[in-house]
Amino acid sequence: QVQLVESGGGLVQPGGSLRLSCAASGSILSIAAMGWYRQAPGNQRELVASITSGGNTNYADSLKGRFTISGDFARNTVWLQMNSLKPEDTAVYYCNADEVLYRTAAVGTDLTDFWGQGTQVTVSS
């Protein structure tokens, strides 16, 4: 199977910075894209940013300029640098791996998406 492990969340004051990391592990052959989503209480999960294995990035319009996504697909790892954090950035941040091709004992290979368990980011004074 494949696992995504996130780290780097925590409590930060408004205006501060955090860097989230997500590493995918398992019998992975390739990943098409990785990204970060977030979900605040009472809200739907929303895209924060994504990056393809070719290096193309996509950001939520409201976050451009403050958040930067980067990735190393040789290591199946993605990072999210978050600067100038605001209280409204408070949410659980989830890592996503899109179109993961991986080996399975049952069927040889399979292709699907995977999610991490999430990491809490709280922006508060």
Side-chain angles (χ1 to χ4, degrees):
Q1 265 288 5
V2 174
Q3 287 189 323
L4 272 60
V5 178
E6 301 123 329
S7 61
L11 173 64
V12 63
Q13 292 187 342
S17 298
L18 281 176
R19 188 178 192 233
L20 305 183
S21 298
C22 173
S25 62
S27 300
I28 297 169
L29 297 173
S30 65
I31 301 176
M34 297 184 75
W36 291 95
Y37 291 71
R38 69 183 184 183
Q39 187 168 18
N43 291 353
Q44 291 187 336
R45 191 173 296 189
E46 61 178 0
L47 173 70
V48 175
S50 64
I51 183 168
T52 69
S53 59
N56 294 319
T57 58
N58 182 41
Y59 293 91
D61 286 342
S62 62
L63 300 177
K64 288 179 181 177
R66 293 196 298 124
F67 289 16
T68 303
I69 190 169
S70 59
D72 181 347
F73 282 78
R75 295 163 57 190
N76 298 323
T77 301
V78 64
W79 299 273
L80 183 69
Q81 178 67 41
M82 305 185 292
N83 298 329
S84 303
L85 283 162
K86 305 175 181 180
E88 51 264 42
D89 294 319
T90 296
V92 178
Y93 284 69
Y94 295 92
C95 178
N96 169 263
D98 190 34
E99 292 186 13
V100 180
L101 182 66
Y102 64 103
R103 294 190 186 91
T104 76
V107 297
T109 59
D110 199 2
L111 181 72
T112 190
D113 299 349
F114 288 91
W115 290 89
Q117 292 193 326
T119 184
Q120 176 70 46
V121 171
T122 302
V123 184
S124 174
S125 55

